[in-house]
Amino acid sequence: MTLHPKIDALTARIRDRSARTRGTYLERMRRAAEDGPRRAHLSCGNQAHAYAAMGEDKDRLAEHRAPNLGIVTAYNDMLSAHQPFERFPDLIRDAAREAGGTAQVAGGVPAMCDGVTQGQPGMELSLFSRDVIAMAAGVALSHNTFDAAAYLGVCDKIVPGLVIAAATFGHIPAVFMPAGPMTSGLPNDEKAKVRQRFAKGEIGRDELMRAEMKSYHGPGTCTFYGTANTNQMLMEFMGLHLPGASFVNPGTPLRDALTRAATARALAITALGNEYIPVAEVLDERAFVNGMVGLMATGGSTNLVLHLPAMARAAGILLEPQDFADISAVTPLMAKVYPNGLADVNHFHAAGGLAFMIGELLEAGLLHEDVQTIAGPGLERYTKEPTLREDALIWGDGPDHSRNDKILRPVGDPFQATGGLQDLSGNLGSGIMKVSAVAPDLHVVEAPARVFHDQEAVRQAFRAGEFTEDCVVVVRFQGPRANGMPELHALTPLLSVLLDRGLKVALVTDGRMSGASGKVPAALHVSPEAALGGPLAKLRDGDVIRVDAKAGRLEVLTDGALERDAASPDLSANGHGLGRELFELFRQCAGPATQGASPLLPSEGTS
């Protein structure tokens, strides 16, 4: 299990680059931890307020000898993925009492559903909701009465926001408790075909609605491999879940047993016991490298290329776009889950899932085994699978082979030799492309540009029948400073129709497309963004653009194109309506996409 030399060198590069910021962070966490459990330092009045509603747990809390777990929950019943969390606090409180501790809901954080806001103005709040979540979790834990934190979150911005908060409170343990995916419904490829037929005008809204309701049909995470399920993968690869917890369906005995076990584990690793594991020790450069390897091996969401640098910065670790490219170059693509294939995450889990994948990657030296995790030292623990045997939760050996090689393959026989994401750079800036679902003949598109300032203008051009030739659709002024960097997933059905007509089409944008970007070659997160005068702001219709995923290039080939003045459209409409007026400060302060686009974290290191 010798570490791959390129993974070793990359990790050393990140460690050296982050030496100052990581050192400062760890010293801050050491000082925060040195006073021991915090409740003992609160006044009697402070404590009385904190315990007033705790009933039978009051005495145990006041004695300070039993650990107290703070629950930070993203529960709402508008997100299918988060609805199961409604009953988690009672389950956690009961499990905490059994383990000799206590648990309190410290606070809630917002959790918006990108599936509801896709193509709508509310999507312009989506990315910045990550930073609001981090802040809200900070408020929850600021009461300083908790010896560990349990984070209940699953979806797109929620998990990254909670990780940022966990790193900020890195002197206490942090355990992430997932809810699991919904059971399989209408196959994702069938749903996609219905969407395309609707985009063509072949069917009406009633038929579209029936298909969507059959696909998104019950509690749990959406079953395609988008950002939410990429988050869950990441939490296992980074050691923040219990092993095997990610893809167990909600409402099952095994799901409840894992939640109870996670509660007991959180209480066992506080500073009050003999196995203290502050999350600052879990979230080191090796954990983030492991997370990036998992992202590439699974062909995960492009959103995590945006979130991981922000998450890392909160722990004093500096990631750069080249890090992702270098990891992709040595990491094989081992999974095919929709939109990269026909299977959903339930099928992936049944085929061997993360336990098989982690075992294979460890054996190939592509993961750091010598990491700290919430389950204890060593990533080898995450090759185990949880099962219930006579109501007892046990971990046994995970699968040593794939049960379906159309979904999951070993390192030695992957779907492709390199990872599912490709870094792009050139005279148009830097960006990222999810190539795992894109046909090989579309990895290079060179064609005239069609330039738009929002996705509605693209829709109108499509309806008017304007797309009749190969083209590169440029949708600019969609970055964090312009309008909060919304996902442009509503363009996927339209552009897919053009591909089905035999046209070679690519998308270039300073916005996002999510983990559901599918078969459209899309250069995303282009930075510098157009709103800051980036090269995209200088393009005009007809400029020849080359999007080359093979060579990792993103270029305009038209002479003189970048010598023009930058376009400066009226973006005032992005500043009001549906709460957007409340986020003006976030838009003004957002960092570049290459560093996580956060308004909270310094763009040049962590002080």
Side-chain angles (χ1 to χ4, degrees), residues 172-515:
I172 62 174
V175 173
F176 281 67
M177 301 182 187
M182 69 176 70
T183 55
S184 301
L186 181 73
N188 286 294
D189 61 321
E190 292 186 27
K191 174 193 67 181
K193 290 175 183 176
V194 173
R195 286 177 172 176
Q196 289 183 39
R197 292 185 65 201
F198 178 76
K200 294 176 183 177
E202 295 176 355
I203 60 172
R205 187 168 293 276
D206 288 349
E207 190 169 345
L208 175 66
M209 188 64 177
R210 282 194 295 271
E212 297 286 358
M213 294 290 282
K214 288 178 181 178
S215 181
Y216 307 115
H217 63 89
T221 316
C222 306
T223 59
F224 66 89
Y225 195 52
T227 309
N229 286 316
T230 304
N231 284 339
Q232 301 315 294
M233 172 280 300
L234 201 70
M235 293 300 93
E236 287 212 29
F237 269 78
M238 294 180 67
L240 293 170
H241 277 175
L242 286 183
S246 294
F247 299 131
V248 175
N249 301 124
T252 61
L254 181 56
R255 174 85 280 156
D256 287 354
L258 284 164
T259 301
R260 298 180 72 88
T263 302
R265 185 61 186 165
L267 296 175
I269 59 176
T270 73
L272 288 171
N274 298 319
E275 201 180 347
Y276 177 42
I277 305 177
V279 75
E281 293 182 5
V282 176
L283 292 173
D284 67 6
E285 64 282 346
R286 294 167 298 178
F288 282 100
V289 168
N290 284 351
M292 288 189 283
V293 170
L295 181 65
M296 300 306 170
T298 58
S301 170
T302 55
N303 275 329
L304 271 300
V305 181
L306 190 68
H307 296 318
L308 275 164
M311 294 155 63
R313 280 176 180 271
I317 295 166
L318 307 181
L319 301 182
E320 294 181 350
Q322 190 62 44
D323 300 332
F324 291 89
D326 290 348
I327 286 178
S328 183
V330 298
T331 304
L333 179 66
M334 299 170 62
K336 282 280 190 181
V337 186
Y338 188 85
N340 307 348
L342 298 182
D344 66 23
V345 293
N346 293 311
H347 304 138
F348 168 77
H349 186 60
L354 297 180
F356 171 75
M357 180 174 279
I358 290 172
E360 283 284 307
L361 291 166
L362 280 172
E363 187 65 27
L366 292 169
L367 290 173
H368 290 276
E369 200 286 325
D370 60 336
V371 292
Q372 182 62 275
T373 78
I374 64 157
L379 197 63
E380 183 74 24
R381 297 169 184 272
Y382 287 77
T383 66
K384 308 296 183 181
E385 278 191 328
T387 57
L388 283 176
R389 188 172 299 169
E390 296 180 354
D391 296 329
L393 181 63
I394 62 170
W395 275 268
D397 291 338
D400 59 4
H401 66 279
S402 170
R403 299 185 180 101
N404 188 332
D405 63 6
K406 294 180 181 178
I407 300 171
L408 181 62
R409 290 186 180 175
V411 166
D413 182 28
F415 291 100
Q416 64 185 48
T418 57
L421 298 176
Q422 175 65 55
D423 186 55
L424 304 174
S425 62
N427 61 10
L428 287 178
S430 65
I432 194 79
M433 180 188 290
K434 182 173 181 176
V435 296
S436 50
V438 176
D441 63 331
L442 292 172
H443 284 192
V444 179
V445 177
E446 184 178 312
R450 286 295 312 274
V451 181
F452 302 90
H453 291 175
D454 57 61
Q455 58 185 335
E456 181 55 34
V458 181
R459 286 172 172 165
Q460 292 174 6
F462 177 85
R463 295 184 189 119
E466 295 180 13
F467 295 105
T468 59
E469 299 178 346
D470 296 352
C471 64
V472 174
V473 177
V474 177
V475 186
R476 61 191 182 188
F477 298 102
Q478 304 298 307
R481 291 290 190 99
N483 63 350
M485 204 177 185
E487 289 183 359
L488 306 177
H489 184 44
L491 295 178
T492 300
L494 309 182
L495 300 179
S496 297
V497 168
L498 299 181
L499 293 179
D500 289 344
R501 290 174 180 170
L503 300 180
K504 291 192 74 171
V505 177
L507 173 70
V508 174
T509 180
D510 47 10
R512 298 183 293 128
M513 195 71 157
S514 94

